[in-house]
Amino acid sequence: MRSFNRGALDLRPVTLTPGVSRYAEGSVQVEFGHTKVLVTCSTEERVPPHLVGKGTGWVTAEYGMLPRATHSRNQRESAKGKQTGRTMEIQRLIGRSLRAAVDLASLGPRTFTLDCDVLQADGGTRTASITGAYVALVLAIRSLQKAGTLTKPPKLTPLAAVSVGVVKGEVRVDLDYDEDSNADVDLNLVATADGRMVELQGTAEHQLFDRKTLDAMVDGGLAAIQQLVAAQAKVLG
Amino acid sequence: MRSFNRGALDLRPVTLTPGVSRYAEGSVQVEFGHTKVLVTCSTEERVPPHLVGKGTGWVTAEYGMLPRATHSRNQRESAKGKQTGRTMEIQRLIGRSLRAAVDLASLGPRTFTLDCDVLQADGGTRTASITGAYVALVLAIRSLQKAGTLTKPPKLTPLAAVSVGVVKGEVRVDLDYDEDSNADVDLNLVATADGRMVELQGTAEHQLFDRKTLDAMVDGGLAAIQQLVAAQAKVLG
Amino acid sequence: MRSFNRGALDLRPVTLTPGVSRYAEGSVQVEFGHTKVLVTCSTEERVPPHLVGKGTGWVTAEYGMLPRATHSRNQRESAKGKQTGRTMEIQRLIGRSLRAAVDLASLGPRTFTLDCDVLQADGGTRTASITGAYVALVLAIRSLQKAGTLTKPPKLTPLAAVSVGVVKGEVRVDLDYDEDSNADVDLNLVATADGRMVELQGTAEHQLFDRKTLDAMVDGGLAAIQQLVAAQAKVLG
Amino acid sequence: MRSFNRGALDLRPVTLTPGVSRYAEGSVQVEFGHTKVLVTCSTEERVPPHLVGKGTGWVTAEYGMLPRATHSRNQRESAKGKQTGRTMEIQRLIGRSLRAAVDLASLGPRTFTLDCDVLQADGGTRTASITGAYVALVLAIRSLQKAGTLTKPPKLTPLAAVSVGVVKGEVRVDLDYDEDSNADVDLNLVATADGRMVELQGTAEHQLFDRKTLDAMVDGGLAAIQQLVAAQAKVLG
Amino acid sequence: MRSFNRGALDLRPVTLTPGVSRYAEGSVQVEFGHTKVLVTCSTEERVPPHLVGKGTGWVTAEYGMLPRATHSRNQRESAKGKQTGRTMEIQRLIGRSLRAAVDLASLGPRTFTLDCDVLQADGGTRTASITGAYVALVLAIRSLQKAGTLTKPPKLTPLAAVSVGVVKGEVRVDLDYDEDSNADVDLNLVATADGRMVELQGTAEHQLFDRKTLDAMVDGGLAAIQQLVAAQAKVLG
Amino acid sequence: MRSFNRGALDLRPVTLTPGVSRYAEGSVQVEFGHTKVLVTCSTEERVPPHLVGKGTGWVTAEYGMLPRATHSRNQRESAKGKQTGRTMEIQRLIGRSLRAAVDLASLGPRTFTLDCDVLQADGGTRTASITGAYVALVLAIRSLQKAGTLTKPPKLTPLAAVSVGVVKGEVRVDLDYDEDSNADVDLNLVATADGRMVELQGTAEHQLFDRKTLDAMVDGGLAAIQQLVAAQAKVLG
């Protein structure tokens, strides 16, 4: 039996709580089952060096995990003096995904930084982060529009992310930590509700995967993403 | 008028929500007004090198702040590759304070690590951290007692912390961010309900302080700490 | 016209020169067109902490690029004092891929380290690295067998890697640097000759991709990988 | 019996030797018994970013200890690649204290950096540093006045620092290393000769302290500071 | 018998292969026996801060070694997060030597960076690097002259480098790794063909050396350098 | 006219003050004119990993400079988070030189660490450090003999170091900072009183040097070293 008593292609209960930060231009707490991520979107009136003078905006992301977000405590990255390869890989993925969600040129010369901090980790922290980050980004854009800083509404492409895997020979969607640790294949998918893909990262953990399995995983992932985009839309009104 | 419509010697509304982490041995979310800190206590069956073979336990603390806990975004310490002097100073203060709260010898050869992560910062993050850390530590101890790992109840000294300052010529307790930025004198006090002191750190920000002012600040701080220790006791049952 | 006067689904000229290092247990210089990577496989009679006492072996990889491997000079990572996120992402990918190429248990308690150093970069450095690393790994295994250190032949799964992309509306295989910089979609594929997949990483660079495009990219990639595995087999005899 | 055959509230022999550096704008070697600190004050015609354009000056401090300043050798911080939390805490304390000693606005847009390097450590290195730093700062100011760089004499607030503690149940002033290691309570006080306080940092080492003990420690500390400020005045003429 | 069947004062076979990099302004692969170094010279139209506005150019060098260039694998410096003292010492030596090879003023306000990366190490990597770097520098200068960036030919001082040592009581030139590990005295010499010296670094490894030995080593070194400069001249045409 | 009114081949006034540290096993303050270095020798009853179990001892050195030892202030290396190439080069030179001064096998399995900290720098800090380090090492050895830790007197080779250079066309010994900045050739020599050499490092700063100049520099250096070794002998009794 899967956690939350759900079927192989079902998501865990998903919660998106907007406005959790008193200070950030946009914010949301996103929960996929027991996984909880606090996402803030901060804006700055400047862009990275390679974009100076081009008039276009930038979206970037950082990812972190509280030391005891997990079953056992991990060393704090600031104390170690560097971010792990895993952290860098995830924040690069979040950044690329969110840059696909908005027409950067329409943002004007400013930077939107998405901080995704995992308060509790039970699998799927990167997909929850991306799903929440879309909401935080839109809220930050709205707050700039309200303040008159952004006058033209930027063109948005709603998107969300989900993990899929093969566990005990079965394709399953939105793996929790136990399933993730035992998956034979692991795939993270970022896409729109109409099935256009942004990122697709599949990994053979203990078993190579054939074309048929890939197809089944993509099918399951795209269906789940439709529900996640619907949940985002509900919160964003 | 002070925030939350309170008098010069009043605390902001204080909330202590225990058990917020599914995995940590002890945890609490502590709020002093808009300041929110997530505190977890993690236990490990080993001690630092200087205590190996002595049979005694250890209590240590780490402190962090989410990049957008504050009015404007701060660079992530893990991305900078080092902790700031302020962070180190605060986590050393929390660690010393909590070591005074428990008889280390009675903990057995194990380490209790208090992670204090500031989700939102509106002044008093170090005093809220200490106040919450006492609760998280006691909960972790109880969880080890329940599991049979700790058989004899350790001797505890309940303690809490509060900031005091001189703002516009007036001694005030539990400063929020605006007051803190404008305080002439700033004092952090860690103490027990019966007025025995653990840490006292007073700083002349814009104005030196005389003996009379010190006395008034200590009076105000000790009175507030009585209330904080009462709030802890209520939560701990 | 593509570089080397080739069709959309053709590889660049591929060269695998084994035995280029006088000291390493296994080595190869791999070239995909103008991209040149020197791969060595070094063995050590010990395993990482998490495998001590389990009898199983380990395969890991590191990736680097000479400062002037590229069109303009990049700062040396050792001088910067840290590896970039890109470097970490690539070396994690190489390591995971090669661990799928061999039955770790059959290696005995020893570590095989694949160092992939890019001498010249014209696109596809990570796929050339993986393709070469398989050769270097097999050569190192053979050298240990010859020396009598490894007595039972480990079970191997030949695999190779190729990049695929959508450039000017066309699915193309093995992109060079110019194509890579202008690709709308970018996909790296690691697989066996019979089409079982190890890693699949697709990214929408300037344009989301639909299911049909994904299918065409996977088709093109798998066909190219058949040729790469044949080239490896020829070199390995 | 205390070192140097002194009473509980007596200082160790204090020496202030000005002008020990041939190059620094101001310098002094300060000795509190066997504790020896070389303090230089360097001036620069620029200010930190947050003060640019405000016309005001800045005073900052750095603290270091030679590896064999202590009973046993400590690892060199430059070799470790980072400063310890203790070092950071101390240099922040020295900097804050010295900023209280001078009207920053009257310094003009320049920075005074106080380097306090401990040549030999027998307790009280931070209080000796602050006491010496005041002398070095005044000498540097005078040297700038002499050179005509500073035309108006800045407003100065003479101050000094001393440690106080409870050792064997007795309040003692200016602890040496042995006393410091065995103190039940430890307090560092920075103040003026007329009893106005700049910094007050009290810590319960092995025993909480009550109000009466605090009062006795502050009394002892303020009396000692009168003597230290007198010693400074004598040297400064 | 020495490697390559040579006499005490003979060089190993020396190869200089120019133009090995498709992108660098100048490049060469230099081999001294089994020692192989890839040297590139990159140019940039800017100078370090201390030369801005002076119209003069700059030449600098960086040195690295692939992890498995040596008999056993060394940890990658980028993974360690810092360069070793040995690496820094060598790259400072290469930089100083090459700055002596060209009239910096005649280069105009631009920087020439020599990257010397050791692909295989069998002794003499620093002397091979310097010998190759001179070739790469000249090739880069020529490429800038051809492009019209440099209009006046800079004044050059051809130079090369060789190691000399005392092994088994005998002065030997161009030591390989085995000889180097067993040398009693070790000397690196950088000079011109007509015997003017640029750098001379002699070290007593296991035995002090007298004046007569120094003289014999310098004699042997200068003779070998004549041959190396001739080899450079042949390649440079 | 040279500083201290001396001839081209004369040393500056040299002072060696032994026993300046209350805690170190051996210590000396060495002054070459205005250059002042505090040298301590610390002993530890263990050896580096590569010597464990071999019964032999080790001698190593570290070098540092106080931030304002020089005419203008340098950034503190511990604050920068790394040692410069110059620092590493110098401490490697000191370590190698001192290992030549004593028969390591006779030291037993212990490490002697020489900390050379420059209090004031007016040229020749590395040669003063080596000259002082020999004294500190001998004092530490004697202190271990006195304590009975070392029972057999180790075999010592007295040595010292001096800088030589070509300034305004003249060979000069023991350059001060002004001369050093303007030298055309710069040579550091470490040797014994009877002219056996340990280290010889010559560098063409603005002008290549021929054989005759090298000879004159070595002559001048060796003569000066005789005087330095005599000064050491006088202090060591």
Side-chain angles (χ1 to χ4, degrees), chain E residues 11-41:
Chain E
L11 290 163
R12 288 175 286 180
V14 170
T15 320
L16 290 159
T17 312
V20 292
S21 161
R22 192 176 170 78
Y23 307 124
E25 283 72 22
S27 68
V28 72
Q29 181 161 322
V30 53
E31 307 185 14
F32 278 22
H34 299 307
T35 289
K36 299 182 188 182
V37 186
L38 179 53
V39 185
T40 56
C41 182

mmCIF file of all heavy atoms in Angstrom, chain E residues 11-41:
data_model
loop_
_atom_site.group_PDB
_atom_site.id
_atom_site.type_symbol
_atom_site.label_atom_id
_atom_site.label_comp_id
_atom_site.label_asym_id
_atom_site.label_seq_id
_atom_site.Cartn_x
_atom_site.Cartn_y
_atom_site.Cartn_z
ATOM 1 N N LEU E 11 70.291 15.347 -22.705
ATOM 2 C CA LEU E 11 68.851 15.519 -22.538
ATOM 3 C C LEU E 11 68.126 14.238 -22.959
ATOM 4 O O LEU E 11 68.657 13.456 -23.762
ATOM 5 C CB LEU E 11 68.361 16.652 -23.446
ATOM 6 C CG LEU E 11 68.772 18.075 -23.075
ATOM 7 C CD1 LEU E 11 68.578 19.008 -24.277
ATOM 8 C CD2 LEU E 11 67.913 18.565 -21.905
ATOM 9 N N ARG E 12 66.917 14.076 -22.479
ATOM 10 C CA ARG E 12 66.053 13.047 -23.044
ATOM 11 C C ARG E 12 65.608 13.527 -24.431
ATOM 12 O O ARG E 12 65.762 14.722 -24.743
ATOM 13 C CB ARG E 12 64.821 12.861 -22.144
ATOM 14 C CG ARG E 12 65.167 12.167 -20.830
ATOM 15 C CD ARG E 12 63.966 12.116 -19.913
ATOM 16 N NE ARG E 12 63.675 13.428 -19.333
ATOM 17 C CZ ARG E 12 62.681 13.674 -18.486
ATOM 18 N NH1 ARG E 12 61.852 12.707 -18.149
ATOM 19 N NH2 ARG E 12 62.490 14.872 -17.992
ATOM 20 N N PRO E 13 65.019 12.662 -25.255
ATOM 21 C CA PRO E 13 64.481 13.147 -26.535
ATOM 22 C C PRO E 13 63.483 14.274 -26.266
ATOM 23 O O PRO E 13 62.605 14.130 -25.398
ATOM 24 C CB PRO E 13 63.760 11.926 -27.114
ATOM 25 C CG PRO E 13 64.368 10.750 -26.426
ATOM 26 C CD PRO E 13 64.814 11.221 -25.072
ATOM 27 N N VAL E 14 63.624 15.373 -26.970
ATOM 28 C CA VAL E 14 62.752 16.535 -26.766
ATOM 29 C C VAL E 14 61.885 16.728 -28.003
ATOM 30 O O VAL E 14 62.390 16.728 -29.125
ATOM 31 C CB VAL E 14 63.592 17.801 -26.529
ATOM 32 C CG1 VAL E 14 62.725 19.047 -26.556
ATOM 33 C CG2 VAL E 14 64.336 17.686 -25.205
ATOM 34 N N THR E 15 60.573 16.864 -27.795
ATOM 35 C CA THR E 15 59.663 17.119 -28.917
ATOM 36 C C THR E 15 58.869 18.375 -28.629
ATOM 37 O O THR E 15 58.379 18.557 -27.511
ATOM 38 C CB THR E 15 58.648 15.959 -29.081
ATOM 39 O OG1 THR E 15 59.322 14.731 -28.856
ATOM 40 C CG2 THR E 15 58.025 15.980 -30.457
ATOM 41 N N LEU E 16 58.731 19.221 -29.611
ATOM 42 C CA LEU E 16 57.890 20.416 -29.494
ATOM 43 C C LEU E 16 56.906 20.387 -30.653
ATOM 44 O O LEU E 16 57.306 20.512 -31.814
ATOM 45 C CB LEU E 16 58.754 21.682 -29.571
ATOM 46 C CG LEU E 16 59.677 21.952 -28.376
ATOM 47 C CD1 LEU E 16 60.810 22.893 -28.747
ATOM 48 C CD2 LEU E 16 58.874 22.561 -27.221
ATOM 49 N N THR E 17 55.615 20.175 -30.353
ATOM 50 C CA THR E 17 54.610 20.102 -31.410
ATOM 51 C C THR E 17 53.744 21.355 -31.358
ATOM 52 O O THR E 17 52.874 21.482 -30.496
ATOM 53 C CB THR E 17 53.720 18.852 -31.224
ATOM 54 O OG1 THR E 17 54.573 17.733 -30.987
ATOM 55 C CG2 THR E 17 52.852 18.607 -32.445
ATOM 56 N N PRO E 18 53.964 22.283 -32.257
ATOM 57 C CA PRO E 18 53.220 23.545 -32.177
ATOM 58 C C PRO E 18 51.797 23.385 -32.730
ATOM 59 O O PRO E 18 51.512 22.441 -33.468
ATOM 60 C CB PRO E 18 54.031 24.475 -33.063
ATOM 61 C CG PRO E 18 54.713 23.588 -34.044
ATOM 62 C CD PRO E 18 54.899 22.250 -33.390
ATOM 63 N N GLY E 19 50.917 24.308 -32.334
ATOM 64 C CA GLY E 19 49.576 24.366 -32.914
ATOM 65 C C GLY E 19 48.648 23.245 -32.504
ATOM 66 O O GLY E 19 47.734 22.889 -33.235
ATOM 67 N N VAL E 20 48.835 22.687 -31.314
ATOM 68 C CA VAL E 20 47.979 21.560 -30.912
ATOM 69 C C VAL E 20 46.580 21.984 -30.480
ATOM 70 O O VAL E 20 45.690 21.150 -30.370
ATOM 71 C CB VAL E 20 48.634 20.741 -29.777
ATOM 72 C CG1 VAL E 20 49.881 20.023 -30.288
ATOM 73 C CG2 VAL E 20 48.978 21.636 -28.602
ATOM 74 N N SER E 21 46.386 23.271 -30.218
ATOM 75 C CA SER E 21 45.048 23.727 -29.832
ATOM 76 C C SER E 21 44.400 24.491 -30.973
ATOM 77 O O SER E 21 45.007 25.369 -31.592
ATOM 78 C CB SER E 21 45.136 24.636 -28.600
ATOM 79 O OG SER E 21 43.963 25.417 -28.488
ATOM 80 N N ARG E 22 43.153 24.131 -31.252
ATOM 81 C CA ARG E 22 42.367 24.774 -32.309
ATOM 82 C C ARG E 22 41.990 26.210 -31.931
ATOM 83 O O ARG E 22 41.685 27.025 -32.789
ATOM 84 C CB ARG E 22 41.099 23.940 -32.468
ATOM 85 C CG ARG E 22 40.272 24.228 -33.663
ATOM 86 C CD ARG E 22 39.111 23.236 -33.715
ATOM 87 N NE ARG E 22 38.167 23.633 -34.738
ATOM 88 C CZ ARG E 22 38.338 23.429 -36.038
ATOM 89 N NH1 ARG E 22 39.417 22.823 -36.479
ATOM 90 N NH2 ARG E 22 37.416 23.847 -36.906
ATOM 91 N N TYR E 23 41.951 26.522 -30.632
ATOM 92 C CA TYR E 23 41.397 27.816 -30.213
ATOM 93 C C TYR E 23 42.425 28.806 -29.664
ATOM 94 O O TYR E 23 42.262 30.010 -29.835
ATOM 95 C CB TYR E 23 40.303 27.589 -29.161
ATOM 96 C CG TYR E 23 39.241 26.613 -29.598
ATOM 97 C CD1 TYR E 23 38.934 25.483 -28.852
ATOM 98 C CD2 TYR E 23 38.550 26.808 -30.808
ATOM 99 C CE1 TYR E 23 37.969 24.583 -29.279
ATOM 100 C CE2 TYR E 23 37.584 25.895 -31.234
ATOM 101 C CZ TYR E 23 37.300 24.789 -30.471
ATOM 102 O OH TYR E 23 36.360 23.903 -30.892
ATOM 103 N N ALA E 24 43.469 28.298 -28.983
ATOM 104 C CA ALA E 24 44.407 29.212 -28.315
ATOM 105 C C ALA E 24 45.199 30.028 -29.330
ATOM 106 O O ALA E 24 45.506 29.551 -30.427
ATOM 107 C CB ALA E 24 45.354 28.428 -27.420
ATOM 108 N N GLU E 25 45.571 31.253 -28.954
ATOM 109 C CA GLU E 25 46.357 32.119 -29.833
ATOM 110 C C GLU E 25 47.720 31.481 -30.127
ATOM 111 O O GLU E 25 48.262 31.635 -31.217
ATOM 112 C CB GLU E 25 46.525 33.508 -29.207
ATOM 113 C CG GLU E 25 45.280 34.385 -29.327
ATOM 114 C CD GLU E 25 44.122 33.942 -28.419
ATOM 115 O OE1 GLU E 25 44.378 33.243 -27.421
ATOM 116 O OE2 GLU E 25 42.958 34.298 -28.717
ATOM 117 N N GLY E 26 48.280 30.784 -29.134
ATOM 118 C CA GLY E 26 49.514 30.041 -29.354
ATOM 119 C C GLY E 26 49.441 28.751 -28.561
ATOM 120 O O GLY E 26 48.839 28.724 -27.484
ATOM 121 N N SER E 27 50.041 27.662 -29.042
ATOM 122 C CA SER E 27 50.009 26.416 -28.277
ATOM 123 C C SER E 27 51.124 25.498 -28.737
ATOM 124 O O SER E 27 51.603 25.601 -29.871
ATOM 125 C CB SER E 27 48.667 25.702 -28.438
ATOM 126 O OG SER E 27 48.521 25.220 -29.757
ATOM 127 N N VAL E 28 51.499 24.604 -27.828
ATOM 128 C CA VAL E 28 52.527 23.625 -28.160
ATOM 129 C C VAL E 28 52.373 22.454 -27.207
ATOM 130 O O VAL E 28 51.964 22.644 -26.056
ATOM 131 C CB VAL E 28 53.942 24.257 -28.015
ATOM 132 C CG1 VAL E 28 54.318 24.481 -26.568
ATOM 133 C CG2 VAL E 28 55.005 23.420 -28.695
ATOM 134 N N GLN E 29 52.645 21.254 -27.666
ATOM 135 C CA GLN E 29 52.804 20.153 -26.724
ATOM 136 C C GLN E 29 54.295 19.883 -26.640
ATOM 137 O O GLN E 29 54.956 19.657 -27.653
ATOM 138 C CB GLN E 29 52.035 18.904 -27.156
ATOM 139 C CG GLN E 29 52.223 17.779 -26.119
ATOM 140 C CD GLN E 29 51.167 16.685 -26.194
ATOM 141 O OE1 GLN E 29 49.990 16.960 -26.435
ATOM 142 N NE2 GLN E 29 51.575 15.447 -25.986
ATOM 143 N N VAL E 30 54.820 19.943 -25.409
ATOM 144 C CA VAL E 30 56.250 19.741 -25.224
ATOM 145 C C VAL E 30 56.471 18.410 -24.513
ATOM 146 O O VAL E 30 55.754 18.078 -23.567
ATOM 147 C CB VAL E 30 56.873 20.923 -24.442
ATOM 148 C CG1 VAL E 30 56.135 21.190 -23.156
ATOM 149 C CG2 VAL E 30 58.339 20.699 -24.172
ATOM 150 N N GLU E 31 57.424 17.628 -25.004
ATOM 151 C CA GLU E 31 57.759 16.358 -24.357
ATOM 152 C C GLU E 31 59.257 16.310 -24.077
ATOM 153 O O GLU E 31 60.072 16.586 -24.946
ATOM 154 C CB GLU E 31 57.345 15.185 -25.253
ATOM 155 C CG GLU E 31 55.883 15.291 -25.680
ATOM 156 C CD GLU E 31 55.356 14.091 -26.472
ATOM 157 O OE1 GLU E 31 56.015 13.045 -26.484
ATOM 158 O OE2 GLU E 31 54.274 14.247 -27.074
ATOM 159 N N PHE E 32 59.579 16.015 -22.839
ATOM 160 C CA PHE E 32 60.956 15.713 -22.433
ATOM 161 C C PHE E 32 60.887 14.237 -22.052
ATOM 162 O O PHE E 32 60.448 13.897 -20.951
ATOM 163 C CB PHE E 32 61.364 16.531 -21.197
ATOM 164 C CG PHE E 32 61.819 17.956 -21.427
ATOM 165 C CD1 PHE E 32 61.464 18.668 -22.563
ATOM 166 C CD2 PHE E 32 62.619 18.614 -20.474
ATOM 167 C CE1 PHE E 32 61.879 19.998 -22.751
ATOM 168 C CE2 PHE E 32 63.039 19.927 -20.652
ATOM 169 C CZ PHE E 32 62.671 20.626 -21.793
ATOM 170 N N GLY E 33 61.268 13.333 -22.937
ATOM 171 C CA GLY E 33 61.096 11.911 -22.657
ATOM 172 C C GLY E 33 59.624 11.601 -22.437
ATOM 173 O O GLY E 33 58.784 11.973 -23.258
ATOM 174 N N HIS E 34 59.270 10.961 -21.297
ATOM 175 C CA HIS E 34 57.873 10.610 -21.051
ATOM 176 C C HIS E 34 57.077 11.743 -20.412
ATOM 177 O O HIS E 34 55.892 11.586 -20.149
ATOM 178 C CB HIS E 34 57.802 9.367 -20.158
ATOM 179 C CG HIS E 34 58.453 8.176 -20.772
ATOM 180 N ND1 HIS E 34 58.143 7.715 -22.034
ATOM 181 C CD2 HIS E 34 59.432 7.343 -20.325
ATOM 182 C CE1 HIS E 34 58.891 6.656 -22.330
ATOM 183 N NE2 HIS E 34 59.684 6.417 -21.318
ATOM 184 N N THR E 35 57.720 12.823 -20.104
ATOM 185 C CA THR E 35 57.001 13.978 -19.553
ATOM 186 C C THR E 35 56.333 14.739 -20.699
ATOM 187 O O THR E 35 56.992 15.110 -21.663
ATOM 188 C CB THR E 35 57.988 14.896 -18.802
ATOM 189 O OG1 THR E 35 58.386 14.233 -17.597
ATOM 190 C CG2 THR E 35 57.376 16.243 -18.473
ATOM 191 N N LYS E 36 55.012 14.952 -20.565
ATOM 192 C CA LYS E 36 54.253 15.635 -21.620
ATOM 193 C C LYS E 36 53.455 16.788 -21.023
ATOM 194 O O LYS E 36 52.653 16.577 -20.108
ATOM 195 C CB LYS E 36 53.250 14.672 -22.269
ATOM 196 C CG LYS E 36 53.885 13.478 -22.929
ATOM 197 C CD LYS E 36 52.817 12.606 -23.598
ATOM 198 C CE LYS E 36 53.475 11.309 -24.072
ATOM 199 N NZ LYS E 36 52.513 10.432 -24.773
ATOM 200 N N VAL E 37 53.649 17.961 -21.580
ATOM 201 C CA VAL E 37 52.929 19.133 -21.081
ATOM 202 C C VAL E 37 52.244 19.829 -22.259
ATOM 203 O O VAL E 37 52.868 20.053 -23.292
ATOM 204 C CB VAL E 37 53.887 20.130 -20.401
ATOM 205 C CG1 VAL E 37 53.109 21.278 -19.751
ATOM 206 C CG2 VAL E 37 54.755 19.433 -19.355
ATOM 207 N N LEU E 38 50.959 20.123 -22.072
ATOM 208 C CA LEU E 38 50.210 20.876 -23.078
ATOM 209 C C LEU E 38 50.239 22.342 -22.646
ATOM 210 O O LEU E 38 49.766 22.682 -21.564
ATOM 211 C CB LEU E 38 48.772 20.342 -23.134
ATOM 212 C CG LEU E 38 47.783 20.989 -24.084
ATOM 213 C CD1 LEU E 38 48.317 21.057 -25.508
ATOM 214 C CD2 LEU E 38 46.477 20.200 -24.084
ATOM 215 N N VAL E 39 50.821 23.195 -23.490
ATOM 216 C CA VAL E 39 50.932 24.608 -23.131
ATOM 217 C C VAL E 39 50.101 25.439 -24.111
ATOM 218 O O VAL E 39 50.249 25.304 -25.330
ATOM 219 C CB VAL E 39 52.396 25.096 -23.205
ATOM 220 C CG1 VAL E 39 52.499 26.532 -22.716
ATOM 221 C CG2 VAL E 39 53.310 24.191 -22.405
ATOM 222 N N THR E 40 49.220 26.273 -23.567
ATOM 223 C CA THR E 40 48.496 27.211 -24.435
ATOM 224 C C THR E 40 48.821 28.627 -23.982
ATOM 225 O O THR E 40 49.079 28.876 -22.806
ATOM 226 C CB THR E 40 46.969 27.017 -24.354
ATOM 227 O OG1 THR E 40 46.568 27.138 -22.989
ATOM 228 C CG2 THR E 40 46.538 25.667 -24.879
ATOM 229 N N CYS E 41 48.790 29.539 -24.933
ATOM 230 C CA CYS E 41 48.951 30.953 -24.589
ATOM 231 C C CYS E 41 47.685 31.673 -25.018
ATOM 232 O O CYS E 41 47.328 31.654 -26.200
ATOM 233 C CB CYS E 41 50.177 31.527 -25.305
ATOM 234 S SG CYS E 41 50.463 33.257 -24.873
#
